[in-house]
Amino acid sequence: MSRLAQTHGLTDVQREILSTVRDFVDKEIIPVATELEHRDEYPQDIVDGLKELGLFGLMIPEEYGGLGESLLTYALCVEEIARGWMSVSGIINTHFIVAYMLKQHGTQEQKDHFLPRMAAGDIRGAFSMSEPALGSDVSAISSKAVQDGEEYVLNGQKMWLTNGGTSSLVAVLVKSDEGHPEGTAPHKSMTTFLVEKEPGFGEVRPGLTIPGKIDKMGYKGVDTTELIMDGLRIPANRVLGGATGRGFYQMMDGVEVGRVNVAARGCGVAQRAFELGVRYAQQRHTFGKQIAQHQAIQFKLAEMATKVEAAHAMMVNAARKKDSGERNDLEAGMAKYLASEYCKEVVEDAFRIHGGYGFSKEYEIERLYREAPMLLIGEGTAEIQKMIIGRRLLEEYRFQG
């Protein structure tokens, strides 16, 4: 166990879970991650191992076959997994967000139908907000659902689905204008549909096509896809929560905990970059001594370690706030913003410490250097986080003059 990024006040159960996950990461993920990443290969053996550990049901209540653990436990597990390979944490995160949305907002029938199989890892979740013509401007989505008797017909194109191919359940956000008067705010006329499908690519059910994997700079192994709906028919009982018009709030609730997850991923990647940097600095010699003995390198290591520690503390605080039942959008936004920015900086410093070898695909830092940028945009860009933080601060510190 490293000296950095310790979490105080954990229960024996939490410590045991984290120890098990860390052991799995060290033995099953780190030795194979770079090779799989370079081949852009889905890590099926790793996913099967996580399924056996019960991690797909970590936060799903025990009554549905899950472990019923807290957001903090989940975030700390994600931190460990991202330390091994960030893509694997992405496979779990999208699944977890859909399970969380079902737990918080689903009808009893929807919970009974989906959550036990999600806890077992037999159903894998994905969620879909973004579209080709928009990213952060969720209220401008154009995909639409029109009611037709006991069904809805969905049309439109979605973008950036993590787990788009391997998932068997997708929570899809679309516009649904029925029952809403003209002039209703866009975010009040959105609905989340629970779309079941076969895993794979091509037409995975009538009216639903997953064209194929998007080729990415990093974040490989996990499949990121588009989703095309053309006359996709969904029964009314697959509206999340049973009522239309609530989709935006449901998705934002899911994204809020997703931001804690992205902060945890940033913490994990930064920890691994620090580990690689501090180890290499003690192996490489210049001018007759370890480069770790040069003050310039010690300054870098000091800055890197401080950033790792600060990001971890903010991530833990955001998770604990949500677990306490309090609103945590301010803390989650701050944690996601800081952890992703610090992750990028720590990875770059580790890259610099490696010198020319950091540019070689033989060294793990090369993979981290390509992975870190995704955290700057995933679950809301840094600019979106700053908007959220700024608005919340003005609410909290409203001038009463």
Side-chain angles (χ1 to χ4, degrees):
M1 185 65 76
S2 71
R3 167 68 182 81
L4 293 178
Q6 296 295 295
T7 311
H8 300 288
L10 298 180
T11 65
D12 290 343
V13 171
Q14 287 174 313
R15 282 194 290 269
E16 186 177 339
I17 291 171
L18 288 172
S19 175
T20 301
V21 172
R22 188 179 186 90
D23 191 52
F24 181 85
V25 167
D26 286 339
K27 291 177 179 175
E28 306 295 335
I29 298 183
I30 288 176
V32 299
T34 296
E35 183 183 344
L36 289 172
E37 197 271 351
H38 286 164
R39 294 204 303 260
D40 198 5
E41 182 178 324
Y42 187 78
Q44 188 61 58
D45 289 345
I46 293 172
V47 170
D48 290 343
L50 295 175
K51 182 178 171 181
E52 284 182 31
L53 291 177
L55 287 192
F56 283 99
L58 192 61
M59 274 192 72
I60 294 175
E62 291 180 14
E63 64 193 277
Y64 299 106
L67 297 178
E69 272 295 329
S70 64
L71 178 60
L72 175 62
T73 308
Y74 174 75
L76 293 174
C77 287
V78 166
E79 183 179 41
E80 293 292 354
I81 293 166
R83 180 181 147 267
W85 184 12
M86 193 185 75
S87 293
V88 178
S89 62
I91 292 169
I92 291 179
N93 182 43
T94 44
H95 172 89
F96 154 71
I97 287 178
V98 178
Y100 174 84
M101 288 167 61
L102 271 161
K103 181 186 79 167
Q104 295 296 106
H105 306 288
T107 65
Q108 193 59 52
E109 184 273 331
Q110 289 167 353
K111 293 178 190 178
D112 292 341
H113 182 77
F114 290 113
L115 288 180
R117 288 186 289 160
M118 293 187 81
D122 296 332
I123 288 181
R124 303 280 169 77
F127 76 103
S128 176
M129 290 193 296
S130 189
E131 296 184 358
L134 61 96
S136 300
D137 186 9
V138 179
S139 64
I141 64 173
S142 59
S143 298
K144 197 161 186 176
V146 177
Q147 191 165 13
D148 182 19
E150 291 299 304
E151 294 182 315
Y152 287 83
V153 181
L154 277 60
N155 289 285
Q157 186 175 358
K158 309 298 281 186
M159 193 71 175
W160 306 119
L161 273 78
T162 301
N163 284 353
T166 48
S167 60
S168 44
L169 174 65
V170 186
V172 182
L173 185 67
V174 299
K175 283 193 172 173
S176 57
D177 293 330
E178 89 296 333
H180 304 293
E182 194 72 30
T184 299
H187 65 277
K188 291 183 178 178
S189 59
M190 293 186 187
T191 299
T192 302
F193 285 87
L194 300 169
V195 178
E196 297 169 86
K197 70 174 185 68
E198 289 297 316
F201 300 99
E203 189 172 23
V204 291
R205 71 176 277 177
L208 180 64
T209 300
I210 306 290
K213 293 194 331 186
I214 298 168
D215 196 16
K216 309 183 296 287
M217 173 179 79
Y219 199 39
K220 293 178 179 287
V222 60
D223 51 295
T224 306
T225 73
E226 297 174 76
L227 178 147
I228 299 169
M229 301 173 289
D230 184 10
L232 172 63
R233 303 188 77 87
I234 302 293
N237 67 357
R238 289 296 170 256
V239 170
L240 180 62
T244 61
R246 299 177 184 170
F248 181 82
Y249 302 103
Q250 293 163 346
M251 281 279 179
M252 290 304 106
D253 190 27
V255 167
E256 197 171 284
V257 291
R259 283 178 180 149
V260 176
N261 172 289
V262 173
R265 285 196 245 181
C267 292
V269 174
Q271 281 181 48
R272 186 60 183 162
F274 175 79
E275 290 172 7
L276 295 171
V278 75
R279 185 172 70 194
Y280 185 81
Q282 294 171 83
Q283 294 172 327
R284 177 87 161 118
H285 287 72
T286 62
F287 305 103
K289 59 183 177 182
Q290 294 176 352
I291 63 171
Q293 299 305 313
H294 294 294
Q295 190 180 59
I297 301 299
Q298 289 181 10
F299 281 4
K300 276 198 190 309
L301 294 173
E303 291 168 1
M304 291 160 71
T306 303
K307 289 171 181 176
V308 166
E309 192 81 351
H312 176 83
M314 289 198 75
M315 179 271 290
V316 168
N317 179 56
R320 282 184 160 145
K321 191 89 181 277
K322 187 76 170 178
D323 284 332
S324 72
E326 297 179 72
R327 181 178 177 181
N328 87 327
D329 54 343
L330 176 65
E331 291 78 11
M334 285 181 166
K336 191 273 172 185
Y337 168 59
L338 189 87
S340 58
E341 294 290 339
Y342 276 180
C343 174
K344 176 198 64 153
E345 293 169 12
V346 171
V347 167
E348 182 168 318
D349 278 341
F351 174 82
R352 289 171 186 264
I353 287 171
H354 279 74
Y357 289 106
F359 218 62
S360 167
K361 288 203 169 205
E362 289 182 32
Y363 283 76
E364 193 178 332
I365 192 63
E366 179 270 343
R367 168 170 63 82
L368 269 57
Y369 196 77
R370 288 182 290 103
E371 288 178 340
M374 199 287 289
L375 298 171
L376 300 171
I377 53 176
E379 312 291 15
T381 63
E383 289 71 27
I384 288 291
Q385 306 312 316
K386 288 190 275 190
M387 284 171 57
I388 292 167
I389 293 165
R391 287 170 183 167
R392 286 288 285 115
L393 289 173
L394 288 172
E395 286 178 25
E396 295 287 341
Y397 291 88
R398 191 176 301 282
F399 178 58
Q400 299 297 328

